[in-house]
Amino acid sequence: MDILKKIQDHREQEEELKWEGTFSEYLELLKERPYLAQSAHSRVYNMIKSAGVAEEHDHKRYKFFDEDIYGLDEAMEKLVEEYFHPAARRLDVRKRILLLMGPVSGGKSTLVNLLKRGMEKYTHTDEGAVFAIKGCPMHEDPLHLVPNHLRKDFQEEYGIRIEGSLSPLNTMRVETEYGGRIEDVLVERIFFSEDKRTGIGTFSPSDPKSQDIADLTGSIDFSTIAQYGSESDPRAYRFDGELNKANRGIMEFQEMLKCDEKFLWHLLSLTQEGNFKAGRFALISADELIIAHTNEAEYRSFIANKKNEALHSRMIVMPVPYNLKVSQEERIYEKMIRESDIRDVHIAPHTLRVAAMFTILTRLKESKKASIDVLKKMRLYDGEILEGFSDVDVEELKKEHADEGMSGIDPRYVINRISSTIIKKELTSINALDVLRSLKDGLGSHASISSEDKERYLDFISLARKEYDEIAKKEVQKAFVYSYEESAVTLMDNYLDNVEAYCNKAKLRDPLTGEELNPDERLMRSIEEQIGVSENAKKAFREEILIRISAYARKGKKFDYQSHERLREAIQKKLFADLKDVVKITTSTKTPDEQQLKKINEVVATLIDEHGYNSSSANELLKYVGSLLNR
């Protein structure tokens, strides 16, 4: 009953938003809200901007794309700043077809759907309200009613420039239904809907021999010719093509470059002049954003054909590459799994991350810098802080290869392999090893992967496996540490006491005997060596720690276990190193004694309660780490 109530509420809200009045009443609305007369491009830009803009590292992140487009912030920034924004300001790019070019399953269709769904919602808001001549099949802009000779005066009074001519059908209706009195013409508020073919159109190519140009521009209604007496009477024409119905909004041209030429030429005058030819009428004005998408191979083939030069010059090509961030790739898989029938299967922690590592590695290109291998590059792209590298280095890396991210493994392949593993083996729980094994098995049957690429991809699976080995060992070792945080804090406090005494050339006092002791050099070095601090560099490292403590104290903040990234890593590694033998013995014993069994059960409970495993995946992890430590 709750869903029915929500449906009723939505219906009532839509009724409240409806508006109908005469053209003269519409002009009064425009005086109060001149933004109602915005163009299709302006409406799309304002919709994107209204969702919010965040400034991050000299880049803008448009929040409109956050929920559906992952890891493509820079591509989305370029799309908005180089196309939507100038087009909204009536600059020349609005006279271009927006062509999204990128690899399969890279997010092109998702992006277009996001814009279409967004426009449907936006036209229900005050800022995105759209008004049209009532009864017009093309939802025509009411301002087209203003005669050409008065438009300059109108712009001076209202501050609104009018573009486009009144359509043949509405020209006739003004005379026959309203006696030439444009002020009495009825205007209504409309709401974009792809399902109802209002303001959003989609054209998909089919067999060139059977597809009719009427799909784009409408057609003659032969059943009415006897009634109206002529094919040139607009009442005998069905203005129901995709270009007609998408007027005032978005027209998606799916796989545009696969279309027959006769369909593409219609777009030339529409993009350049804002009109198109239909039937035996004068040119029909249309205001719409035309957005198409294609892959790189088809695009290269298209521009190689000299016959397409005119259309090519009417395009703005925007690359939509694959995501290159591991954490964002993981989100893509999570989303795809949520939308599938495998969402109830337990996926062990780090499984999707390891799969994402492999996928991102296939998309990266080797750096020209000898100091950066693909693993470092992967980490830097994902925002990890690596010693010796800065944000400037990351920006330089991104500029090395303009086509980085335009090839590699696509997300669908990964999800297909995960699904295949689950269904074939009827599993209720999978881990990273299951997925890596399945990815490897699937490479041989992947038609588009060359033998050279296959060899590279097998190497990347090995790299991802090594990364998982380290993750798995750390996970188990963490679980073995009783009161992990407390142990880490105690060790750190001990280290800091010794560092302070060392730097100040002071002594420590034994809490039990009161005896004065020299700083414990063995303890300090055992921790520092975990992160590669050399004997020569130890003094500088220790002084840096003291400076950081002082800086925190000046700001009234407490220096804690999380305050220094490298020190935290060193403390963790030291704890893990001390526990390695305990972990090794406990996980590898085939017949554990009572004490060992108790420890194993504690670890399994910790993995389940605190790390997101279930009983099956926790026990598998323990067995695997035991085998790793015994190698």
Side-chain angles (χ1 to χ4, degrees), residues 46 48 53 87 119 147 190 245 247 252 261 270 294 314 318 350 428 446 464 499 511 554 558 594 630:
N46 287 327
I48 293 169
V53 185
M119 285 302 286
I190 62 169
K245 292 298 182 182
N247 186 33
E252 179 191 5
E261 286 178 16
L270 178 58
T294 188
R314 302 289 200 284
M318 282 289 165
H350 312 295
T428 55
H446 199 300
V499 163
R554 282 198 305 274
K558 186 178 185 301
E594 189 179 336
N630 278 297

Side-chain angles (χ1 to χ4, degrees), residues 190-253:
I190 62 169
F191 305 100
F192 287 180
S193 167
E194 185 171 23
D195 293 339
K196 296 176 182 175
R197 301 187 74 215
T198 305
I200 297 174
T202 303
F203 183 82
S204 184
S206 59
D207 183 1
K209 294 175 183 175
S210 60
Q211 192 156 31
D212 191 347
I213 198 69
D215 294 344
L216 269 185
T217 60
S219 59
I220 297 165
D221 185 352
F222 290 101
S223 65
T224 61
I225 290 176
Q227 180 183 350
Y228 297 119
S230 168
E231 289 183 17
S232 59
D233 189 311
R235 291 170 298 180
Y237 195 85
R238 288 195 295 259
F239 293 89
D240 60 357
E242 294 304 319
L243 292 180
N244 308 103
K245 292 298 182 182
N247 186 33
R248 315 291 301 286
I250 295 175
M251 163 70 183
E252 179 191 5
F253 225 113

Side-chain angles (χ1 to χ4, degrees), residues 73-125:
D73 292 346
E74 288 170 33
M76 295 304 101
E77 180 187 21
K78 185 178 180 184
L79 174 64
V80 175
E81 296 298 316
E82 295 186 17
Y83 184 78
F84 288 127
H85 191 183
R89 302 290 292 273
R90 297 181 187 269
L91 294 174
D92 209 48
V93 294
R94 75 191 173 101
K95 297 178 179 179
R96 306 284 184 272
I97 298 165
L98 174 60
L99 179 65
L100 305 176
M101 181 189 68
V104 294
S105 193
K108 302 184 296 295
S109 297
T110 302
L111 172 56
V112 177
N113 285 330
L114 189 60
L115 291 171
K116 292 195 292 189
R117 297 297 81 79
M119 285 302 286
E120 289 177 341
K121 290 180 184 175
Y122 192 59
T123 55
H124 283 77
T125 66

Side-chain angles (χ1 to χ4, degrees), residues 449-485:
I449 296 178
S450 66
S451 56
E452 184 184 340
D453 281 342
K454 184 182 175 184
E455 288 302 314
R456 284 176 53 243
Y457 293 174
L458 288 172
D459 289 341
F460 293 146
I461 284 175
S462 296
L463 279 177
R465 165 77 178 269
K466 286 175 184 172
E467 289 294 299
Y468 175 65
D469 288 353
E470 291 306 309
I471 291 169
K473 282 190 279 188
K474 283 183 182 179
E475 196 88 320
V476 170
Q477 288 166 333
K478 268 188 195 180
F480 261 85
V481 179
Y482 177 73
S483 301
Y484 174 69
E485 290 293 327

